[in-house]
Amino acid sequence: MIKEITVRDLDPGKFISEKVNEIQTLVGDGIAINALSGGVDSSVVTMIGHKALGNRLKTLFIDNSLMRKGEPERVANTFGKLGVEIEIVDAREEFLSALKAITDPEEKREAVTQTFYKEVFGRIVRESGAKFLLQGTILTDVDETVAGIKRQHNVFEQLGIDPQEAFGYQIIEPLIQLRKDGVRKVGEAAGLPKEVFDRIPFPGPALAARIVGEVTREKLDVVRVATDIVEQLLKETGAFQYMAILHEDRVTGMRDGQRDFGQQIEIRCWDSVDARTATPTRLSFDLLEKLASEITGNVPGIVSVTYNIATKPPSTIEVV
Amino acid sequence: MIKEITVRDLDPGKFISEKVNEIQTLVGDGIAINALSGGVDSSVVTMIGHKALGNRLKTLFIDNSLMRKGEPERVANTFGKLGVEIEIVDAREEFLSALKAITDPEEKREAVTQTFYKEVFGRIVRESGAKFLLQGTILTDVDETVAGIKRQHNVFEQLGIDPQEAFGYQIIEPLIQLRKDGVRKVGEAAGLPKEVFDRIPFPGPALAARIVGEVTREKLDVVRVATDIVEQLLKETGAFQYMAILHEDRVTGMRDGQRDFGQQIEIRCWDSVDARTATPTRLSFDLLEKLASEITGNVPGIVSVTYNIATKPPSTIEVV
């Protein structure tokens, strides 16, 4: 049973020094490794790990082809300014081939997980000699994995998997007692810039979770453009999370007076405190129509755009 | 080239007597037949045809299994009060078996068309001795068929099909110079009650056009419940048309804390004058959330609900 630290009980400075001590004790004079996705959780873990271990923490950005537009460069640049060196690993082909022909959401997550931990990370860890992996798991990930709602890519113990045995390294999860709101406070105290600690969540399977059905390079290119439009237009809303989802269903549209049989982008924009429950953000119709026209005008093959109006539960935040 | 009568130029009373005369001239002392779906167009045609021919117009309501909840009874009852007798024909099995395994929208419409005109109607016409079919085609149907956007079930000439040769009867289309707004005016002048002439459009392929992918009895049952909820909750909006669409894509949801892999209902609600262009109605989020919770709470297998935010064009009003 993990003991939750609510945002009310959280002293971010004290939390950071405790975690720094714990990491130093566990790792000793060894080497640790962590993967930075650019999301809040892994960014905060990177900062805490860096404080604890300095350059004995090796931080990797794995380009899995599932990232947003310009993501690798943006992340390396942000952390470079903070004095944290990031190594970019090109693993695009490995992920794409692992995802080939998979349509079930859970199998998709599993393919991303396996490729990440066993293939790519396994290789890097062996080469680096690191025996410790720092991981940004938070309490909501654990809850949802235990409940069987959604298998987070970064939760092992709860699934009865021993990462030491399976992957050859021990996992350290400094944020596991926190929820998203707590993580943001710790991120601010750790010196992260606002655009990072206040950033909307972007989970591990990344754009693979934004595609219904098989993930292909072509679909990733489509959803990447839509994601960029949605994030640009919604960043001022203050919403908890927002996303573009590429659907597989084909629907009728019209272009230049002719029938055009295309696909839909679904937009979800959530109000939430901790991701356990969430409500669609009440965006203005001016903004909704602008989103739709930008997407149908700029994203190849998209003839229709919808906005999610269901709450979580019974929906979930991500579509798959 | 069909000469449009705009609503501004329309004199509904004069229009009705002209059409009554035309029909009387064409049919002579013969028998005509028409199919009433309960929608505005076929209801207006029924009234005009009845004025012209009295009981020499045989009006059928074909139960194709694609109808809304309680539809056959409601239609028979409304027209009974107006002194027009309706015969209900049970053709549910024929339509369902014609639609089996078809997923392409145009093939779906074609299956409904062929079953309607060749199978069911062909049989009834032969039995009745009618040589004339009164049909509720309007100008927007013609435009869209010619443009190749959507094949309307009730447009033949434009497709180079001779109905006399193909189906054994001649088609009379009294409303072909009008658009929807004109049809409503004529309906009012013809004595139809407001709930009929002001009724939202419900096209020929009916609920088959509200299902992405194969049409089955089970999916019809699902979309029928959702349609009933949407129509109940949106009837006071004054919107041009509103609908529930059952998608095929499967999405993740949660019930009682457990993962539930289900489907989506998309709601479309349109502001439009004549269906040529349309804009999503700016419904309140209170109403949108109520729609979503009623649907996820009452429609089996639905875990998420979306609202269309794209305009026509590039969308179309119906999804398939």
Side-chain angles (χ1 to χ4, degrees):
Chain A
M1 192 60 192
I2 300 156
K3 191 177 172 324
E4 176 170 359
I5 304 173
T6 63
V7 75
R8 203 195 309 194
D9 294 334
L10 176 69
D11 175 340
K14 187 161 156 271
F15 179 87
I16 293 170
S17 29
E18 281 174 10
K19 292 300 157 186
V20 164
N21 284 338
E22 282 176 32
I23 293 167
Q24 288 172 335
T25 307
L26 276 163
V27 178
D29 56 3
I31 292 168
I33 201 163
N34 83 309
L36 172 62
S37 70
V40 191
D41 304 338
S42 69
S43 295
V44 173
V45 164
T46 300
M47 291 307 285
I48 294 177
H50 188 76
K51 280 182 208 297
L53 306 172
N55 59 13
R56 284 185 297 116
L57 174 69
K58 199 175 154 78
T59 297
L60 306 166
F61 181 93
I62 311 278
D63 187 351
N64 56 10
S65 86
L66 311 174
M67 295 292 162
R68 287 174 286 192
K69 207 173 132 185
E71 192 91 19
E73 300 72 24
R74 187 163 53 223
V75 170
N77 189 38
T78 302
F79 281 85
K81 284 188 196 150
L82 294 165
V84 181
E85 205 187 313
I86 308 295
E87 187 185 328
I88 296 178
V89 178
D90 182 357
R92 289 176 294 177
E93 288 307 322
E94 274 173 281
F95 279 88
L96 279 172
S97 83
L99 284 162
K100 208 168 150 64
I102 296 178
T103 58
D104 180 82
E106 294 308 289
E107 288 176 28
K108 217 186 272 182
R109 283 169 182 264
E110 184 65 17
V112 174
T113 302
Q114 290 295 328
T115 308
F116 189 86
Y117 289 99
K118 279 188 116 158
E119 308 296 320
V120 180
F121 238 64
R123 187 178 64 230
I124 293 167
V125 169
R126 274 192 302 279
E127 287 167 12
S128 72
K131 290 286 172 237
F132 299 91
L133 172 62
L134 262 59
Q135 182 81 274
T137 320
I138 67 169
L139 196 50
T140 312
D141 301 331
V142 179
D143 288 348
E144 297 200 337
T145 303
V146 172
I149 292 156
K150 205 171 271 181
R151 175 155 174 178
Q152 298 293 336
H153 78 291
N154 49 2
V155 177
F156 292 104
E157 266 181 51
Q158 291 71 28
L159 299 168
I161 297 170
D162 178 349
Q164 190 118 35
E165 202 174 281
F167 311 121
Y169 43 73
Q170 186 179 338
I171 293 180
I172 303 174
E173 294 168 318
L175 310 181
I176 204 154
Q177 294 167 277
L178 303 179
R179 297 196 186 271
K180 202 61 106 185
D181 48 353
V183 176
R184 295 194 200 285
K185 289 223 157 170
V186 172
E188 185 173 11
L192 283 170
K194 186 172 164 57
E195 66 266 25
V196 177
F197 72 73
D198 233 15
R199 200 174 163 200
I200 58 164
F202 192 67
L207 295 179
R210 307 286 165 80
I211 292 172
V212 174
E214 188 190 0
V215 176
T216 64
R217 190 188 309 269
E218 293 68 33
K219 288 189 194 169
L220 284 164
D221 288 343
V222 170
V223 82
R224 191 175 287 115
V225 179
T227 298
D228 192 48
I229 293 169
V230 168
E231 294 190 352
Q232 291 294 331
L233 289 174
L234 297 185
K235 71 182 171 196
E236 303 299 337
T237 59
F240 177 78
Q241 193 170 357
Y242 32 87
M243 64 191 74
I245 297 154
L246 175 61
H247 277 265
E248 198 164 31
D249 282 346
R250 297 190 75 198
V251 300
T252 305
M254 55 197 289
R255 297 254 182 215
D256 310 319
Q258 294 289 314
R259 176 177 183 257
D260 184 9
F261 199 36
Q263 281 166 283
Q264 278 187 322
I265 290 285
E266 175 188 351
I267 297 169
R268 295 186 177 188
C269 182
W270 295 105
D271 288 342
S272 179
V273 172
D274 58 15
R276 281 185 292 184
T277 62
T279 312
T281 305
R282 298 183 164 210
L283 300 177
S284 73
F285 270 89
D286 284 342
L287 185 50
L288 290 170
E289 283 187 13
K290 187 167 172 56
L291 283 161
S293 72
E294 289 286 318
I295 289 172
T296 55
N298 295 292
V299 186
I302 302 302
V303 297
S304 161
V305 181
T306 64
Y307 185 62
N308 167 64
I309 57 171
T311 53
K312 171 184 180 180
S315 182
T316 49
I317 286 184
E318 300 282 338
V319 72
V320 290
Chain B
M1 189 64 192
I2 300 157
K3 192 178 171 323
E4 176 169 1
I5 303 172
T6 63
V7 75
R8 205 195 308 197
D9 294 335
L10 176 70
D11 175 339
K14 187 161 156 274
F15 180 88
I16 292 169
S17 29
E18 281 174 12
K19 292 300 156 186
V20 164
N21 285 337
E22 283 176 33
I23 293 167
Q24 287 171 337
T25 308
L26 277 163
V27 178
D29 58 2
I31 292 168
I33 200 163
N34 82 311
L36 172 61
S37 69
V40 190
D41 305 337
S42 70
S43 295
V44 173
V45 164
T46 301
M47 291 307 286
I48 294 177
H50 188 76
K51 279 182 209 299
L53 305 172
N55 59 13
R56 285 186 296 115
L57 175 69
K58 199 175 155 76
T59 297
L60 306 166
F61 180 93
I62 313 276
D63 186 352
N64 56 11
S65 84
L66 312 175
M67 295 291 163
R68 287 174 287 192
K69 206 172 133 186
E71 192 91 18
E73 302 71 25
R74 186 166 51 222
V75 171
N77 188 40
T78 302
F79 281 85
K81 285 188 195 149
L82 294 164
V84 182
E85 206 187 312
I86 309 297
E87 187 185 325
I88 296 176
V89 177
D90 181 358
R92 288 177 294 178
E93 288 305 322
E94 275 172 281
F95 280 87
L96 278 173
S97 83
L99 283 162
K100 208 171 151 62
I102 296 177
T103 58
D104 179 83
E106 294 310 288
E107 288 177 28
K108 216 187 273 183
R109 284 168 182 265
E110 185 64 18
V112 174
T113 302
Q114 290 295 328
T115 308
F116 188 86
Y117 288 99
K118 280 189 117 158
E119 307 296 321
V120 180
F121 239 63
R123 187 179 65 230
I124 294 168
V125 169
R126 276 191 301 279
E127 287 167 12
S128 72
K131 290 285 172 237
F132 299 91
L133 173 62
L134 264 58
Q135 181 81 276
T137 318
I138 68 169
L139 197 48
T140 312
D141 300 332
V142 179
D143 288 347
E144 297 201 337
T145 303
V146 172
I149 293 156
K150 205 171 274 183
R151 176 156 174 177
Q152 298 293 336
H153 78 291
N154 49 3
V155 177
F156 292 105
E157 268 181 50
Q158 291 70 27
L159 299 169
I161 297 170
D162 178 350
Q164 191 116 36
E165 202 174 281
F167 312 121
Y169 44 73
Q170 186 180 339
I171 292 180
I172 303 174
E173 294 168 318
L175 309 182
I176 204 154
Q177 295 168 277
L178 304 179
R179 298 196 186 270
K180 202 59 107 185
D181 47 354
V183 176
R184 295 193 199 285
K185 289 222 157 171
V186 173
E188 184 174 11
L192 282 171
K194 186 172 164 58
E195 66 266 24
V196 177
F197 73 74
D198 234 15
R199 199 175 165 198
I200 58 164
F202 192 68
L207 295 180
R210 306 286 165 81
I211 292 172
V212 174
E214 187 189 1
V215 175
T216 64
R217 189 188 309 268
E218 293 68 33
K219 289 188 194 169
L220 285 163
D221 288 344
V222 171
V223 82
R224 191 176 287 115
V225 178
T227 299
D228 193 48
I229 293 169
V230 168
E231 294 190 351
Q232 291 296 330
L233 288 175
L234 296 185
K235 71 181 171 199
E236 302 301 337
T237 59
F240 178 77
Q241 194 169 355
Y242 32 87
M243 62 190 75
I245 297 154
L246 176 60
H247 278 265
E248 197 165 31
D249 282 346
R250 299 190 74 198
V251 299
T252 305
M254 56 196 288
R255 296 256 181 214
D256 309 320
Q258 294 289 314
R259 177 175 182 257
D260 184 9
F261 199 37
Q263 280 165 284
Q264 277 188 322
I265 290 284
E266 175 187 350
I267 297 169
R268 294 186 178 190
C269 181
W270 295 106
D271 288 343
S272 179
V273 171
D274 58 15
R276 281 186 292 184
T277 61
T279 312
T281 306
R282 297 183 165 210
L283 301 177
S284 73
F285 270 88
D286 284 342
L287 185 50
L288 290 171
E289 283 186 15
K290 187 167 171 57
L291 283 161
S293 72
E294 289 287 317
I295 289 172
T296 54
N298 295 292
V299 186
I302 302 302
V303 297
S304 161
V305 181
T306 64
Y307 185 63
N308 167 64
I309 56 170
T311 53
K312 171 184 179 177
S315 184
T316 49
I317 285 183
E318 299 282 339
V319 71
V320 291

